[in-house]
Amino acid sequence: MDAQQNKQVVQDAYQQFLSGDIRGVIERCDDQAEWYSPDSDHIPFAGTFHGKQGIAEFFARMDATAQPTRFEPQEFIAEGDKVVVQGQATWHAKQTGRSFDTPFIHVFTLRDGKVTRFEAHADTAAGERAFRLDQPGQAAASSQLHH
């Protein structure tokens, strides 16, 4: 597939995510795909997940612990087997009640119309502050972390 076809695969996957069709997103992935975001002791869905089963685990953890209140992919850049997406999001950490804003960069690698690798890059520090249970001096239910 060419870069524009790869871009369309990724755009379609975002539409599926936004409509809640997580199974559809997972089906766009190769059986051996790798799903990556920087490790964190406090963000429950951070780390590297392997294969469709691992990606399903990622989405299950994310759904159990976080709610996107704003998720806006804004720019899609395609070159060869890579598609880079720049956007903005606001997440609500369910356990603490805190929210945070973050820009994001997602990098997809595709082969034969399937995602073989996904990399998420966002404001990890803001996410950790929102998810941390041991924030001294903060009332969990009402704190907002926006920049």
Side-chain angles (χ1 to χ4, degrees), residues 54-91:
I55 296 166
E57 179 185 341
F58 163 84
F59 280 110
R61 286 185 190 183
M62 185 175 66
D63 184 57
T65 61
Q67 174 69 40
T69 57
R70 178 177 62 117
F71 189 84
E72 300 172 356
Q74 296 170 327
E75 187 173 7
F76 294 80
I77 304 162
E79 178 81 26
D81 66 351
K82 301 273 191 222
V83 179
V84 177
V85 182
Q86 178 271 325
Q88 297 285 328
T90 301
W91 289 91

Side-chain angles (χ1 to χ4, degrees), residues 25 29 33-37 47-50 55 58-59 108 115 118:
V25 175
C29 296
E34 184 173 78
W35 204 266
Y36 165 83
S37 61
T48 303
F49 299 83
H50 299 278
I55 296 166
F58 163 84
F59 280 110
F108 295 82
V115 174
F118 167 83

Side-chain angles (χ1 to χ4, degrees), residues 42-43 93 96 98 127-136 138 140:
H42 302 288
I43 300 173
T96 65
R98 293 189 289 265
E128 287 185 344
R129 285 190 302 270
F131 282 99
R132 277 184 71 144
L133 295 174
D134 60 349
Q135 289 284 329
Q138 288 191 341

Side-chain angles (χ1 to χ4, degrees), residues 9 40 98 113 116 132 137 147:
V9 168
S40 168
R98 293 189 289 265
T116 59
R132 277 184 71 144
H147 34 268

